[in-house]
Amino acid sequence: MRANASPTGWALLLIVGGLLLSFTSVTAAFVTREPVWHYLIPGGCFVQLLGWAVHRGRSGGAV
């Protein structure tokens, strides 16, 4: 187990990218009332989930 358990590299990029996509989609769906944004919200959450899975695999299961 590493002393620094913070996400780095691709894991960090996926986590932050997923957060930005989901937050932007939530804001756009609220402001524009367009239904297309509702499909991007779970997409951003899925990208973030992939980032956490990559981080967990890289850190050997340690959280």
Side-chain angles (χ1 to χ4, degrees):
M1 184 165 85
R2 300 181 318 175
N4 185 4
S6 297
T8 57
W10 282 107
L12 182 61
L13 181 67
L14 288 171
I15 292 168
V16 172
L19 278 169
L20 288 174
L21 179 62
S22 60
F23 285 161
T24 303
S25 300
V26 166
T27 303
F30 181 72
V31 171
T32 65
R33 304 280 189 207
E34 291 291 328
V36 70
W37 295 109
H38 294 276
Y39 295 109
L40 292 178
I41 295 168
C45 294
F46 182 71
V47 170
Q48 183 185 7
L49 179 71
L50 285 177
W52 284 112
V54 168
H55 169 64
R56 184 170 182 175
R58 173 188 270 171
S59 64
V63 178

